[in-house]
Amino acid sequence: MKGRKLLLFLMLLGILKISAQNTALTGSVVDALSNDPIAGARLKLEGTAYIKTSGQDGSFAFADSSLESGSYILEVSKAGYILLRISVNLVGGTAKSLELIPLQPDFMKEQVQLATISLSESELNEDQGETDNITGLLYATRDVFLNAAAFDFSQTFFKPRGLGSEYGTVSINGVEMNKFFDGRPQWSNWGGLNDLQRNQVFANALVPGETTFGNLAGNTNIIMRASQYAKNGKLSYASANRSYSGRLMATYSSGEKPGGWWYALGLARRFAKEAYVEGTLYDANSFFISAEKKLNNAHSINFTGFYTPNIRGKSSANTQEVYDLKGRKYNSFWGIQNGEIRNSRIKEVKEPILMLNHFWKLSEKLKINNNVAYQFGSIGNTRLDFGGTRLVTQTDGQQSFVGGGSNPDPSYYQKLPSYFLRFFDNQNFEAAYRAQKDFQQNGQIDWRELYKANSSSLNNGGNSIYVSAEDKVEDKLLNVNSILTANINSSLMLTAKLKFSNLNSENYAEVNDLLGGTGYLDVDFFSEGDKAQSDLLNPNRIAKLGERFKYNFKWKAASAEAFINALIRTEKWDSYAAFSLSQTNYQREGLYKNGNFPESSFGKSKALDFTDYGAKAGTVWKITGKHLLEFNAGYFTKAPALKNSFSNSRQNNNVVEGINSERIYSGDASYIFRSSFLKARLTGYFTQINNATEISFYYADGLSGLGRNSTTAFVQEILTGIDKQHLGLEMGAEAQVTSTLKLKTAVAMGQFTYNNNPNLKLTSDDFIEAQDYGESNLKNYRIAGGPQRAAQIGFEYRDPDFWWFGTTLNYFSHAFADVSPLARTSNFATDSDGLPLLNYDENMARDLLKQEQFDDYFLLNTVGGKSWRIKNYYIGFFVSINNILDELYKTGGFEQSRNANFRTLKADRDREQPVFGSKYWYGTGASYYGNVYIRF
């Protein structure tokens, strides 16, 4: 006992001695309204390498032996709170306590974020090519330019530096959420839980994150850990006219409970019978639970689970002719059934995510975070199939398939006026007039006629002609990682990670609705004999409701990765160097023996293996406290997405010939100015992406070299060896004119182009051998996907009585339609017999192939809100109005590939109304979002 007392006395004496000798700064960060401690706040002494994070009780301490006396600016930041800068004077050898540091909740930014993310993630439509929820990726940033990109530019699908979310990384509790299939995060997996996602750590562009090597477009780690939520509850209701009409949300976090427990709960519902675009229903629920137990001072265990089942109706891309007849809100995917809107293309996501997080504090300087996450469930996309037939056996024993229906799409080209006027010498004006009137007065799917056709077929002993098919994906994804953080000293920190992911994915089509019939003959109506069979092992199968048909296969994918990052902070320099090494494996296993590919569809495919590596380095030179220079550079390789590795995964095991990893190198340089009055950043960047692969599916007309009496086919377009170049400038600045008024501006000037002529091949079940059309002349064409240039001016006013409003005027230009690579190959100048086209005019061809640039446009947006404190309750409202002037603009579009050669394209362009004109998506007109809430 005496020995213990002596040891305790010596330890206490040592602590007192250190305290007496060292210069120290201590305090506790609390919420300015509730006075509750804030955990995870970041505290930095500007102009130095000293950075701390507040503990569970909000406390912090700068007590390093190298901390010198002098005047400092202490920067205190936390997502959801207004940045606080405090002037402090430290005297050598003494400890200074700031006691309580109150952070004011940033109600304005919180509500703007909530509105923008809620609406943008809800309206995403993967049919729009490169559409991404960049807002979610940039949620946590305080950068002026990136805030503009996230909350004003995002409604146009602007992407910083022209990069989609497959080039960014999103993690939750240190577990990466990007999918194997396309490399992108599935935002709807955690949609509706915005109030529980405010704790985020963001690293811009190339800079590695706390938990990941990162990519090109930045990385965000969303912290959904029970102990990181301050004790509070919130109820809110939102109304909108954009992606949904209403949203209910309730959240509660307990704070620390006796025994070292924390828990957090969340519920939300979003709904719309019909959103801004016609026929787009929305029905989503969100459930969240997190519980954490502090086992002792060294170990904590956290469980987080969330489930956000959601259903939404998709919207169609439309030609200019369709827009002229029906307007910007028109959607061809729906019709009325029994007095109710029914959309034929429904996306349903049901993928719960469960994760267990272990936090091990070996010492004050060494920490290990172990994570296990499991995701399962399904994603379904419905569509109408109109190839239903019945099997007929002739007297001589021969069999054939009889039936099939017409395309039920009301905007199908054969139902539009232009179709009847396509021949200059034989225009049918009467039929065109009737088509126009019918389309304007009706123009939606006629569900009654589909049921009627199936009923007639059934009465004659046949099967369903029309069915609702659902393309299903059932993933089982396991993620395991371990993250080590070592603070070697006050200047050097090491982060290292080992990660393993394993995916088992079932992919199949399922009969979703027989539309009044009893079964569907599972054959390809456009093929004959054995080739018509979806599965030769079960020929002429009659698929019933809920049964699989058309295609059925599995994917297996796995990846292992290791990375290390060294961060060095000194008074003048903040530098890092990071390295990564990874291995990725893919394999397909066909469960059907397809009639078109009997030798290459059933069983396991060739296994694909990709070994990738990367290196990044960067530094910030703090010339003075106000003037900084930042440089970042990186080179790394990136495995192709699963969807781009197999040429036609629904029908066969064929891998893309010569498939390999992308090779990426990138760099940027920035000048940063920071003062109490003005904050500004100017950045120049350059990125080169080499050896990319893209696969597209469409119906092509005007093909050459098929060796049969046809020039049409449904094809898979395989574009390999794609090089892309992204370069440009970013600028953002804000001036705190008064304590309440802030002016801000942002500018993006980008140029995103194809940098070579990649190779193009077509495969199809309509021809045996792949057709190699050589180079596609894409060099210098712009990469489609939102405007490449944007600018903003605006202001924010924050009154001390907690009301605020702001307005921004935003300008967008240099948005382009996606070009048809096939039309830029040798096929364009070649006749069906393989010989050069007669009367080919190179100058005219150049005009025909000129890329379409969309018109420039302005969008005026405004936000405002007010909050009150009534005893221990905080009540507030928020309103945002986007596109106040109801500007009409295109967010994207693409050339159709139906006219694949000079002759057919010229003939179509010469018409007053092209039959196969480009298809477009249009931006939302004037829209609003209003939210009322109560905190307690």
Side-chain angles (χ1 to χ4, degrees), residues 721-739:
I722 308 168
D723 293 350
K724 303 176 183 180
Q725 187 179 93
H726 299 243
L727 56 89
L729 296 172
E730 297 172 342
M731 187 279 289
E734 63 180 24
Q736 194 73 47
V737 180
T738 69
S739 61

Side-chain angles (χ1 to χ4, degrees), residues 61-246:
F62 292 92
D64 299 77
S65 59
S66 58
L67 184 60
E68 299 177 352
S69 61
S71 296
Y72 296 90
I73 297 295
L74 176 64
E75 182 182 279
V76 188
S77 62
K78 170 77 173 178
Y81 291 86
I82 297 173
L83 179 73
L84 181 64
R85 300 171 78 243
I86 305 171
S87 177
V88 295
N89 291 309
L90 300 181
V91 178
T94 63
K96 183 180 182 66
S97 174
L98 298 178
E99 298 182 350
L100 298 182
I101 301 176
L103 284 186
Q104 292 284 353
D106 192 347
F107 292 121
M108 180 177 181
K109 185 173 182 181
E110 173 189 325
Q111 293 300 317
V112 171
Q113 289 171 333
L114 185 62
T116 309
I117 293 176
S118 295
L119 296 174
S120 60
E121 76 87 18
S122 300
E123 68 188 1
L124 295 186
N125 187 337
E126 74 281 0
D127 295 334
Q128 191 172 341
E130 294 293 315
T131 298
D132 290 287
N133 185 5
I134 295 300
T135 299
L137 185 63
L138 303 179
Y139 182 100
T141 180
R142 293 182 180 273
D143 181 84
V144 181
F145 171 80
L146 294 178
N147 268 309
F151 307 122
D152 284 294
F153 296 171
S154 62
Q155 61 188 298
T156 70
F157 303 110
F158 170 87
K159 294 179 291 188
R161 306 191 184 184
L163 300 169
S165 60
E166 70 271 25
Y167 290 105
T169 305
V170 174
S171 303
I172 295 180
N173 292 350
V175 179
E176 293 180 18
M177 294 287 111
N178 296 56
K179 293 270 193 176
F180 274 107
F181 176 71
D182 57 9
R184 300 176 180 175
Q186 177 73 44
W187 300 99
S188 54
N189 283 151
W190 52 89
L193 299 173
N194 312 79
D195 275 342
L196 295 159
Q197 295 168 2
R198 293 197 303 272
N199 295 331
Q200 299 190 12
V201 180
F202 173 75
N204 187 31
L206 286 168
V207 179
E210 293 184 345
T211 63
T212 179
F213 177 75
N215 209 305
L216 282 173
N219 57 86
T220 293
N221 183 34
I222 306 171
I223 301 170
M224 302 178 76
R225 178 182 171 188
S227 66
Q228 298 301 298
Y229 296 112
K231 181 181 179 179
N232 65 53
K234 183 179 177 182
L235 298 172
S236 67
Y237 174 77
S239 176
N241 70 336
R242 186 164 157 183
S243 305
Y244 53 73
S245 57

Side-chain angles (χ1 to χ4, degrees), residues 667-936:
D668 61 50
S670 302
Y671 167 70
I672 302 167
F673 179 82
R674 299 184 310 194
S675 73
S676 58
F677 171 74
L678 179 66
K679 293 181 181 178
R681 174 173 69 86
L682 175 65
T683 299
Y685 60 88
F686 174 85
T687 297
Q688 183 74 33
I689 301 172
N690 292 339
N691 200 43
T693 300
E694 295 177 0
I695 297 179
S696 304
F697 301 82
Y698 56 84
Y699 189 84
D701 196 352
L703 298 176
S704 62
L706 298 186
R708 55 188 176 89
N709 295 323
S710 178
T711 60
T712 63
F714 184 81
V715 300
Q716 298 82 48
E717 178 189 272
I718 306 164
L719 203 60
T720 57
I722 308 168
D723 293 350
K724 303 176 183 180
Q725 187 179 93
H726 299 243
L727 56 89
L729 296 172
E730 297 172 342
M731 187 279 289
E734 63 180 24
Q736 194 73 47
V737 180
T738 69
S739 61
T740 57
L741 179 63
K742 180 190 294 182
L743 303 181
K744 58 184 181 180
T745 185
V747 176
M749 297 185 65
Q751 180 174 293
F752 318 133
T753 58
Y754 293 100
N755 201 39
N756 74 330
N757 297 321
N759 191 76
L760 187 147
K761 290 184 178 179
L762 297 182
T763 63
S764 174
D765 56 19
D766 289 327
F767 43 83
I768 299 174
E769 298 294 331
Q771 300 295 307
D772 189 342
Y773 289 102
E775 289 187 347
S776 177
N777 296 303
L778 294 180
K779 187 170 184 179
N780 296 325
Y781 277 94
R782 297 295 186 109
I783 298 169
Q788 299 191 5
R789 298 183 185 179
Q792 175 190 91
I793 56 172
F795 73 89
E796 295 176 8
Y797 177 82
R798 298 172 185 254
D799 193 271
D801 289 333
F802 296 103
W803 61 271
W804 62 89
F805 66 89
T807 299
T808 60
L809 179 64
N810 305 277
Y811 170 74
F812 303 95
S813 70
H814 291 75
F816 298 86
D818 203 1
V819 299
S820 165
L822 178 60
R824 275 83 183 167
T825 65
S826 58
N827 182 82
F828 191 69
T830 307
D831 212 336
S832 59
D833 57 7
L835 297 175
L837 278 171
L838 298 177
N839 300 321
Y840 180 79
D841 187 314
E842 190 169 330
N843 292 326
M844 190 173 294
R846 189 178 299 111
D847 289 338
L848 290 172
L849 297 178
K850 183 178 180 181
Q851 188 173 18
E852 180 183 2
Q853 180 175 342
F854 300 151
D855 292 338
D856 305 353
Y857 53 95
F858 288 90
L859 297 181
L860 181 64
N861 304 327
T862 190
V863 298
K866 168 70 175 161
S867 61
W868 297 266
R869 179 174 181 173
I870 304 175
K871 295 184 178 181
N872 293 325
Y873 296 88
Y874 308 93
I875 301 171
F877 73 89
F878 170 83
V879 175
S880 71
I881 304 175
N882 288 343
N883 193 7
I884 295 173
L885 302 179
D886 201 32
E887 184 82 8
L888 176 68
Y889 62 97
K890 295 172 181 175
T891 61
F894 60 92
E895 297 176 354
Q896 296 195 67
S897 294
R898 293 293 293 256
N899 297 311
N901 67 29
F902 173 81
R903 180 188 297 138
T904 57
L905 181 58
K906 182 179 181 301
D908 201 34
R909 292 280 182 87
D910 286 344
R911 298 183 178 109
E912 182 178 347
Q913 186 66 264
V915 177
F916 299 111
S918 295
K919 289 193 171 184
Y920 307 105
W921 287 273
Y922 292 87
T924 306
S927 62
Y928 75 90
Y929 171 90
N931 184 41
V932 293
Y933 58 89
I934 179 170
R935 288 180 185 272
F936 52 91

